[in-house]
Amino acid sequence: MALEEKERIIIPDENGEEHLFEVLFTFDVDETEQSYVAVVPAEQKEDEEVEVFAFRYEEKDNDDDLALFQIESDDEWDMVEEVLNTVADSEDLAE
């Protein structure tokens, strides 16, 4: 079975520079009807510690575009961190 190519997205920073990220996973929160995406920089060296970024997103009507929003509230961050930790723990068990 061939490994599936990871989905990649380009995210501009506050200076307008574009950076390539690999999508780890997306998830929805039923209570808030919000969608989130967890990404890592695509250009990381194997021995580097991986920094995971998370954003709230909305799909745009045209094409496959996403509107990304920074997570600003502590409650929202706590919920996202809990999901990230759960996924990380389950991946550790699978190895």
Side-chain angles (χ1 to χ4, degrees):
M1 181 168 84
L3 291 176
E4 195 173 307
E5 177 104 16
K6 289 199 181 262
E7 185 175 355
R8 292 178 170 207
I9 60 174
I10 296 172
I11 303 174
D13 63 17
E14 62 274 356
N15 299 323
E17 287 186 46
E18 294 182 342
H19 301 276
L20 185 63
F21 289 84
E22 288 187 359
V23 175
L24 293 177
F25 61 90
T26 60
F27 64 97
D28 299 318
V29 177
D30 294 335
E31 297 85 36
T32 61
E33 297 183 2
Q34 301 289 336
S35 299
Y36 297 88
V37 60
V39 298
V40 294
E43 303 300 321
Q44 289 226 10
K45 294 182 175 66
E46 289 294 322
D47 57 347
E48 284 184 336
E49 185 174 320
V50 177
E51 185 172 4
V52 177
F53 297 89
F55 298 93
R56 184 171 47 83
Y57 76 90
E58 295 174 4
E59 293 183 19
K60 292 185 178 180
D61 293 336
N62 57 340
D63 300 322
D64 292 329
D65 287 348
L66 298 178
L68 297 178
F69 303 94
Q70 290 188 357
I71 299 169
E72 296 177 354
S73 78
D74 289 340
D75 290 341
E76 194 173 22
W77 262 121
D78 291 344
M79 180 271 310
V80 169
E81 269 188 332
E82 187 175 323
V83 171
L84 291 172
N85 290 334
T86 300
V87 170
D89 289 347
S90 66
E91 285 182 5
D92 287 344
L93 292 175
E95 290 179 5

